[in-house]
Amino acid sequence: MQYFKLVPQWLLLAAGMIFQSFSYADQNSALSVLNVYKTPTCGCCGKWLKHLADQNVSHKTFDLADLSAIKKRLNILPKYQSCHTGVSEDGFVFEGHVPAKFIKQFLQAPVKGAIGLSVPAMPLGSPGMEVGKRFHPYQVLLLKADGSHSVYAEVKRYEEQF
């Protein structure tokens, strides 16, 4: 304990803040690793993966000729399906063009009884589906284990995705 009396308090405080920020960064990166299943020829999937990378969401990509078996195994009903499926290390699913912002938010505070999030179909202007300045508002759905859903987020403007 004598040693700490020799170290200025500001130095101890600074060291503690640095350690805390590293811990927080490690915690965030651990929350956002996804296994992404997609077909090898899908261009919008590649754009969505770039969005994930730009938003610091780590991912591994698996190209499959047919995604129906993986979607069935993960209990993603056809009405919630899209062109690619992300799966967190904890088994939560992120179906379609879900913005990284909502993936991170969900993984930091998972909803009890939920299996993940979905952006069904392929809304124009969602991450990976950008076409010039065109944008269609859409909903991010909370998928529940019983097959139902509720609205997790409403994206009314392009900027709300980031």
Side-chain angles (χ1 to χ4, degrees):
M1 201 62 164
Q2 283 290 46
Y3 173 75
F4 290 111
K5 289 182 181 178
L6 299 175
V7 178
Q9 285 186 344
W10 66 267
L11 187 56
L12 290 173
L13 181 62
M17 290 174 70
I18 291 168
F19 177 75
Q20 187 176 15
S21 68
F22 281 128
S23 295
Y24 182 74
D26 290 344
Q27 202 173 33
N28 273 350
S29 63
L31 290 175
S32 50
V33 176
L34 297 180
N35 288 328
V36 178
Y37 302 91
K38 67 178 203 59
T39 59
T41 57
C42 185
C44 66
C45 294
K47 291 179 182 178
W48 183 70
L49 292 170
K50 182 180 179 334
H51 164 75
L52 291 183
D54 291 347
Q55 298 298 313
N56 299 316
V57 176
S58 299
H59 59 275
K60 298 176 194 169
T61 306
F62 301 90
D63 286 331
L64 303 173
D66 182 14
L67 299 175
S68 58
I70 191 106
K71 293 176 190 289
K72 185 174 182 176
R73 182 174 58 82
L74 295 168
N75 296 318
I76 304 169
L77 299 177
K79 64 184 175 182
Y80 304 128
Q81 293 181 9
S82 188
C83 59
H84 53 262
T85 304
V87 183
S88 73
E89 292 173 334
D90 294 330
F92 292 112
V93 299
F94 300 94
E95 180 68 13
H97 294 265
V98 179
K101 166 185 174 177
F102 298 114
I103 293 171
K104 291 178 189 180
Q105 183 179 315
F106 179 88
L107 289 174
Q108 288 176 352
V111 177
K112 185 177 181 180
I115 65 169
L117 302 175
S118 173
V119 173
M122 298 162 70
L124 199 59
S126 61
M129 289 299 300
E130 295 90 351
V131 179
K133 294 187 184 257
R134 296 173 63 192
F135 176 80
H136 291 159
Y138 64 93
Q139 296 177 329
V140 178
L141 303 180
L142 178 73
L143 303 181
K144 299 179 183 178
D146 67 4
S148 66
H149 77 276
S150 61
V151 176
Y152 185 78
E154 290 199 47
V155 181
K156 297 177 182 175
R157 295 178 306 126
Y158 178 80
E159 297 79 21
E160 293 175 0
Q161 302 174 103
F162 307 98

